[in-house]
Amino acid sequence: MLILGIESSCDETGVALVDAGGVQTPRLLAHALHSQVAMHEAYGGVVPELASRDHIRRVLPLTSGVLADAGRTLANVDVVAYTRGPGLAGALLVGAGVACALGAALDRPVLGIHHLEGHLLSPFLSADPPTFPFVALLVSGGHSQLMQVDGVGRYTLLGETIDDAAGEAFDKSAKLLGLGYPGGPALSRLAEQGNAEAFKLPRPLLHSGNLDFSFAGLKTAVLTQARKLGDALDARKADLAASTEAAIVEVLVKKSLAALTQTGLQRIVVAGGVGANRRLRQQLDAACAARRVRVHYPELALCTDNGAMIAMAAALRLRAGVQGASRTYAFDVRPRWPLDTRLADEIQTK
Ligand code: KG4
Ligand code: ZN
């Protein structure tokens, strides 16, 4: 069974073709991505209307490219999956609209997927896929969550950010340092040349006793430091970047370890754009090796938004029987959609 996956929740158009397989694990046949980063850069962040329009321009050419790469045609597609939420409403509508139109035209069922479930299950596309159950650290531009994952569609929220997401903390701090948008990768690159202990920055909620995060105070602390440095900032920028990255990473690693202790689980999956961060990977690997905990990451290229994770999540949901594909092509999108709630919805409609 071939699943076409379409992702358009934010500023990347992603399309992929996954072979859901029979008994074997689903396999990625081809995927393609168009990032809008260069287009939004001038505005210092994502402009929703521009994002939607660009998704419209990209989605069909990307689909043709993916099918050609896989040596297949639209007629070979059995199910069309798309990101139903959360994300930018207009951007989501493009993917949902195209997916449902393709489904209707081809007489194939469609499946709306939760973007975070895509991230969460994206390590199943890697050469070292996890097995259930595991703790998931979901760290993206819009979300920071720790979940307990007992199986496909069986997710329990353990803790989440009460304000900014980890990726947002990277992006906002990077902006303050004049590093452009999105700042996460740029800040992380600059941090490699700096001293992570140069500045004492807050580790919010580190000892809160629960698994929630708070990153909003960090950007204020970075701003205060930058102002204090004044003209000296340029010479110390790498140190400040390294100290910022260290503060974010320490909180993420300590809370992940606390989640492992609380659940008694021996396996953790890291997903979402911030999962590409080198320091996070190094520190989490070291901490988990000491505790004999297995860590799984998506392939680097599949950490940030992509269509492969959407097609993969659809394949796993269909295989697990937690959701059927539908031939009702009237679509809606869910710009705000907690992963837990969706689970309850799905169980009620089963
Ligand atoms: O998952 P994602 O592509 O989009 C959302 O669903 O939000 O995550 C994007 C976020 C951005 O905030 C970006 O700055 C951050 O991931 N990011 C990084 C790195 N690569 C991407 N943050 C820190 N270090 C990186 N290497
Ligand atoms: Zn994402």
Side-chain angles (χ1 to χ4, degrees):
M1 183 171 61
L2 292 190
I3 302 180
L4 183 73
I6 299 176
E7 154 65 33
S8 70
S9 67
C10 188
D11 58 352
E12 335 259 355
T13 321
V15 178
L17 196 64
V18 159
D19 184 347
V23 275
Q24 315 99 310
T25 333
R27 202 162 51 90
L28 179 62
L29 300 182
H31 80 114
L33 192 72
H34 175 78
S35 170
Q36 304 176 355
V37 160
M39 183 179 76
H40 296 297
E41 209 171 9
Y43 306 93
V46 178
V47 184
E49 183 57 25
L50 293 183
S52 315
R53 291 177 192 202
D54 202 57
H55 286 308
I56 293 174
R57 273 193 291 271
R58 307 292 174 180
V59 66
L60 289 177
L62 285 173
T63 303
S64 307
V66 163
L67 290 168
D69 283 354
R72 313 291 163 102
T73 66
L74 272 180
N76 300 127
V77 172
D78 297 299
V79 174
V80 187
Y82 63 94
T83 305
R84 189 177 168 207
L88 301 169
L92 288 166
L93 281 169
V94 176
V98 168
C100 291
L102 279 177
L106 299 168
D107 191 22
R108 300 288 194 276
V110 295
L111 196 61
I113 293 293
H114 194 293
H115 180 82
L116 292 182
E117 183 176 46
H119 278 302
L120 200 114
L121 299 176
S122 61
F124 284 95
L125 288 159
S126 75
D128 177 30
T131 52
F132 298 112
F134 53 79
V135 166
L137 172 67
L138 266 179
V139 272
S140 70
H143 296 86
S144 298
Q145 300 186 331
L146 278 160
M147 318 267 320
Q148 176 169 333
V149 179
D150 291 308
V152 177
R154 293 166 61 205
Y155 315 124
T156 311
L157 184 67
L158 301 171
E160 65 183 333
T161 184
I162 58 170
D163 42 54
D164 288 354
E168 234 174 328
F170 270 105
D171 293 340
K172 289 179 175 173
S173 304
K175 202 169 179 179
L176 291 172
L177 298 178
L179 300 177
Y181 169 85
L187 188 141
S188 158
R189 263 194 310 278
L190 183 63
E192 279 173 38
Q193 299 151 34
N195 172 6
E197 277 150 36
F199 297 98
K200 285 226 169 332
L201 295 172
R203 268 77 169 149
L205 300 191
L206 190 58
H207 303 293
S208 61
N210 64 19
L211 297 173
D212 286 340
F213 305 96
S214 164
F215 291 109
L218 188 64
K219 63 175 185 293
T220 317
V222 172
L223 181 64
T224 308
Q225 271 305 340
R227 285 206 176 127
K228 228 191 266 179
L229 285 166
D231 289 344
L233 175 62
D234 262 355
R236 304 293 309 280
K237 223 182 236 185
D239 287 345
L240 191 48
S243 303
T244 306
E245 183 182 57
I248 299 170
V249 166
E250 185 183 341
V251 175
L252 294 178
V253 171
K254 293 242 164 96
K255 294 272 174 170
S256 298
L257 296 180
L260 288 161
T261 305
Q262 185 180 308
T263 57
L265 296 175
Q266 293 290 319
R267 196 178 289 277
I268 183 165
V269 155
V270 183
V274 181
N277 185 268
R278 282 244 309 253
R279 187 180 176 95
L280 175 63
R281 288 186 173 218
Q282 283 163 358
Q283 306 242 323
L284 196 64
D285 283 346
C288 288
R291 294 168 156 234
R292 296 173 182 271
V293 167
R294 285 291 313 275
V295 194
H296 299 263
Y297 302 96
E299 302 292 336
L300 263 183
L302 300 179
C303 271
T304 48
D305 294 348
N306 63 81
M309 68 184 195
I310 300 304
M312 184 62 167
L316 292 174
R317 287 186 77 82
L318 290 171
R319 264 166 61 117
V322 293
Q323 186 181 356
S326 148
R327 283 176 197 267
T328 307
Y329 303 112
F331 56 89
D332 64 346
V333 293
R334 311 265 311 254
R336 301 176 71 81
W337 190 13
L339 200 49
D340 276 5
T341 307
R342 184 189 63 124
L343 233 203
D345 288 349
E346 238 68 80
I347 289 165
Q348 276 163 18
T349 54
K350 250 177 86 175

